[in-house]
């Protein structure tokens, strides 16, 4: 499908908050606080009571209607009782507003489908595109446009990055933003889909597929609005960018809960699973797995095959990684005779220790400095039988110096996918941040590392099957 033109929603020049409030704890107050924190566009407060409010040290005249604002308005953020929303949409239409983010709840999810249909009918009359209703808002991490009604001191915002996230659950979306911020995972845009009365997950997927600031598209969905539209959109978009979905409502009980949550129909999980596979969508089974997949694909090229080499200074971790990879359908690379000969020669000539193992996993032993790691990584990456490299570093060893950071960075010259695993506490975390600044994703556990490899391999397979890699 052709991507809808939605830049006005993420890059508005002017925004009206309808239902703005001076009262802490009110949704209209929280939206004003979020939107005036970093956004540099023009912000207008609207409330039928009029007057003046002060937010984040700034005073705002309160207009009684959006029609009174002496300026063009790109986006209206609506937080008034549901029964008033259709009339507010009409006022926005008369004003020439392009998009409405309807925070208000009390529509289809509350058994009032007719009110939601009326909202859509009036929005279409004026050509207004609607996000929601019953949503948390949208956030553009790039320019600071943020109409999320969870205030910053309650819910952190992540740094700017390549991962976009859309969610049918506002609460889950809030948790994702908090989690991403805590783990320093960069995001481009966040969309709370709500009831999807107008714009749905497929519309935003198509838009994000064309968005130069987004490298990976992720989402939490309970059910899609139009199955055929979703499938066709995903099949096109995944040939350009990875799409990762966390699908809930996989059980009968979960499907019933989804219906009462956002009014979505979860449908048969088996059908969804088949559609994801046929459209090239990666399905995650947990929030952590979703971001394990996304981080790897945001930072590394897809793998050209499933043959994995492992370099580790801990034998047990190498065994665990081997088990995990094989259980998920990957292969341990069979190192070539030439590569094995290079290791043998270095051991005989004293450049490598006799007690290390150069089978795959390549165990450089607990006393390995960064120079030994670098030699082993090079030999593995220069082997034509290796598609992807996993590096496991137990930084608790005093022998492993900080030169490992630059050593790993140099490996990018080979153009092969690399995943780094660094279990432990504060010091490993510090080293992990430094390595990630060089473009290599780092994971805290072997299991997380297996997820990363799986994502790089599976997305690479999809691209190769379709002649894109």
């Amino acid at each position: 499908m052709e991507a809808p033109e939605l830049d006005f929603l993420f890059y508005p020049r002017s925004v009206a908050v309808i239902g703005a409030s001076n009262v802490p704890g009110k949704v209209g107050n929280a939206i004003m606080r979020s939107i005036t924190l970093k956004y540099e566009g023009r912000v207008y407060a609207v409330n039928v009571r009029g007057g003046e409010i002060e937010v984040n040290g700034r005073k705002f005249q309160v207009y009684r209607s959006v029609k009174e604002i002496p300026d063009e308005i790109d986006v209206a953020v609506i937080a008034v009782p549901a029964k008033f929303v259709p009339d507010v949409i009409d006022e926005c239409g008369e004003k020439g507003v392009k998009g409405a983010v309807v925070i208000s709840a009390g529509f289809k999810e509350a058994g009032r489908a007719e009110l939601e249909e009326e909202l859509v009918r009036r929005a279409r009359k004026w050509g207004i595109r609607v996000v929601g209703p019953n949503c948390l808002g949208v956030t553009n991490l790039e320019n600071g446009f943020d109409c999320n009604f969870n205030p910053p001191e309650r819910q952190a915002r992540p740094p700017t990055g390549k991962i976009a996230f859309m969610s049918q659950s506002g609460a889950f979306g809030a948790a994702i933003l908090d989690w991403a911020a805590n783990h320093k995972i960069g995001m481009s845009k966040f969309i709370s889909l709500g009831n999807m009365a107008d714009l749905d997950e497929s519309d935003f997927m198509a838009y994000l597929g064309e968005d130069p600031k987004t490298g990976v598209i992720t989402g939490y969905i309970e059910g899609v609005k139009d199955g055929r539209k979703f499938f066709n959109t995903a099949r096109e978009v995944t040939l350009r960018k990875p799409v990762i979905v966390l699908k809930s409502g996989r059980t009968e009980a979960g499907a019933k809960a989804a219906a009462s949550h956002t009014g979505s129909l979860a449908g048969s999980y088996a059908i969804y699973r088949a559609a994801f596979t046929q459209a090239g969508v990666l399905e995650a089974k947990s929030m952590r797995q979703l971001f394990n997949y996304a981080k790897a694909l945001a930072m590394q090229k897809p793998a050209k095959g499933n043959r994995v080499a492992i370099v580790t200074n801990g034998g047990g971790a190498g065994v665990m990684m081997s088990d995990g990879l094989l259980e998920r359908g990957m292969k341990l690379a069979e190192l070539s005779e030439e590569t094995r000969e290079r290791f043998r020669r270095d051991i005989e000539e004293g450049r490598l220790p006799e007690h290390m193992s150069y089978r795959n996993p390549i165990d450089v032993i607990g006393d390995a400095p960064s120079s030994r790691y670098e030699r082993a990584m090079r030999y593995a990456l220069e082997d034509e039988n290796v598609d992807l490299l996993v590096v496991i570093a137990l930084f608790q060893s005093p022998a492993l110096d900080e030169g490992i950071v630059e050593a790993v960075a140099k490996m990018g010259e080979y153009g092969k996918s690399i995943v780094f695993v660094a279990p432990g506490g504060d010091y490993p975390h510090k080293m992990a941040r430094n390595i990630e600044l060089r473009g290599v994703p780092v994971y805290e556990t072997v299991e997380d590392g297996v997820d990363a490899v799986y994502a790089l391999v599976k997305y690479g397979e999809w691209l190769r099957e379709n002649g894109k890699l």
Side-chain angles (χ1 to χ4, degrees):
M1 66 175 270
E2 186 176 342
E5 173 47 58
L6 299 178
D7 277 351
F8 60 84
L9 273 174
F10 298 97
Y11 301 92
R13 295 162 299 176
S14 55
V15 181
V17 179
I18 302 175
S21 171
N22 211 18
V23 181
K26 291 276 190 180
V27 169
N29 178 260
I31 294 168
M32 286 293 293
R33 290 178 57 210
S34 294
I35 217 167
T36 56
L37 200 61
K38 293 182 180 179
Y39 173 62
E40 295 182 355
R42 300 183 297 279
V43 179
Y44 297 92
V46 178
N47 192 302
V48 291
R49 295 175 182 171
E52 185 178 86
I53 63 174
E54 183 174 338
V55 182
N56 290 337
R58 293 169 58 184
K59 290 186 177 179
F60 294 86
Q61 175 189 347
V62 180
Y63 296 91
R64 294 180 184 277
S65 164
V66 69
K67 293 193 292 183
E68 294 180 6
I69 298 172
D71 190 6
E72 291 183 358
I73 299 296
D74 286 336
V75 172
V77 183
I78 302 173
V80 300
K83 64 183 179 180
F84 299 124
V85 172
D87 289 341
V88 168
I89 290 290
D90 274 340
E91 293 186 355
C92 288
E94 291 175 41
K95 181 64 183 173
V97 173
K98 297 175 184 175
V101 181
V102 183
I103 307 295
S104 315
F107 292 88
K108 182 174 64 177
E109 85 288 352
R112 300 169 75 187
E114 73 290 341
L115 186 61
E116 190 164 310
E117 289 165 7
E118 181 65 12
L119 158 63
V120 173
R121 189 183 67 77
R122 297 202 196 184
R124 288 190 176 149
K125 169 187 170 185
W126 299 104
I128 296 173
R129 301 311 307 262
V130 176
V131 183
N134 181 33
C135 75
L136 186 65
V138 301
T139 302
N140 184 346
L141 281 309
E142 176 197 352
N143 66 356
F145 174 58
D146 181 7
C147 60
N148 186 324
F149 71 74
N150 287 332
E153 75 275 7
R154 294 291 185 98
Q155 181 214 283
R157 271 59 166 178
T160 305
K162 294 182 179 180
I163 301 170
F165 184 75
M166 50 186 179
S167 179
Q168 280 183 16
S169 163
F172 188 80
I176 283 283
L177 288 171
D178 242 353
W179 192 88
N182 188 47
H183 287 76
K184 305 292 189 295
I185 294 173
M187 295 182 70
S188 59
K189 294 173 175 68
F190 166 77
I191 305 121
S192 173
L193 296 167
N195 292 4
M196 302 187 294
D198 175 31
L199 291 166
D200 61 25
E201 77 296 316
S202 301
D203 294 314
F204 285 111
M205 193 193 329
Y207 171 78
L208 294 168
E210 302 287 347
D211 177 29
K213 299 298 182 181
T214 296
V216 179
I217 301 166
T218 64
Y220 165 84
I221 64 170
E222 293 167 357
V224 300
K225 188 173 175 182
D226 180 333
R228 179 55 58 183
K229 179 181 174 184
F230 176 88
F231 178 82
N232 290 337
T233 304
R235 192 165 174 81
E236 287 180 23
V237 173
T238 54
L239 297 179
R240 298 193 300 274
K241 296 177 184 179
V243 175
I244 306 164
V245 166
L246 174 57
K247 168 77 173 75
S248 68
R250 297 192 296 265
T251 63
E252 185 179 347
K256 288 179 180 177
S260 63
H261 175 213
T262 56
S264 64
L265 296 173
S268 165
Y269 174 55
I271 293 173
Y272 276 97
R273 194 170 55 205
F276 292 155
T277 301
Q278 292 171 28
V281 173
L282 277 170
E283 185 189 4
K285 294 296 176 66
S286 68
M287 181 171 79
R288 187 178 185 109
Q289 191 172 73
L290 180 92
F291 274 99
N292 286 342
Y293 289 175
K295 184 164 80 165
L297 287 162
M299 299 179 75
Q300 290 286 294
K301 295 176 182 176
K304 293 182 179 178
N306 66 351
R307 300 169 301 175
V308 185
I310 302 166
V311 174
T312 179
N313 65 347
V319 173
M320 288 176 62
M321 177 59 72
S322 301
D323 284 344
L325 293 174
L326 292 170
E327 286 167 358
R328 296 287 291 278
M330 268 66 75
K331 294 178 181 177
L332 292 185
E334 180 90 30
L335 298 181
S336 68
E337 181 55 38
E338 180 185 354
T339 300
R340 294 199 297 271
E341 179 57 32
R342 295 174 81 180
F343 278 114
R344 277 195 294 267
R345 192 182 313 119
D346 280 355
I347 290 171
E348 288 169 4
E349 295 175 6
R351 289 185 292 272
L352 290 173
E354 290 183 9
H355 54 291
M356 72 164 281
S357 168
Y358 52 87
R359 295 188 182 91
N360 189 19
I362 301 164
D363 188 352
V364 292
I365 309 302
D367 62 0
S370 62
S371 57
R372 193 185 302 167
Y373 259 99
E374 182 170 353
R375 188 178 294 269
M377 290 188 294
R378 283 197 183 281
Y379 289 178
L381 287 167
E382 288 171 3
D383 192 316
E384 62 182 12
N385 293 338
V386 173
D387 299 310
L388 185 148
L389 176 66
V390 174
V391 182
I392 304 173
L394 303 176
F395 281 108
Q396 293 78 6
S397 167
L400 185 51
D401 56 284
E402 296 191 4
I404 187 69
V405 175
E406 293 306 328
V408 172
K410 291 177 191 174
M411 298 304 116
E413 68 191 56
Y414 294 103
K416 294 183 180 180
S417 308
I418 301 172
V419 169
F420 202 101
V421 177
D426 291 344
Y427 184 69
H429 287 168
K430 172 192 161 189
M431 298 302 291
R433 297 289 78 78
N434 290 335
I435 291 168
E436 288 195 336
L437 288 172
R438 272 74 174 177
V440 175
V442 184
Y443 295 87
E444 297 175 37
T445 70
V446 166
E447 292 78 13
D448 291 341
V450 170
D451 279 346
V453 173
Y454 177 84
L456 292 167
V457 168
K458 295 305 286 185
Y459 188 56
E461 285 178 0
W462 170 251
L463 293 180
R464 281 199 312 283
E465 287 170 7
N466 289 276
K468 298 294 183 179
L469 183 66

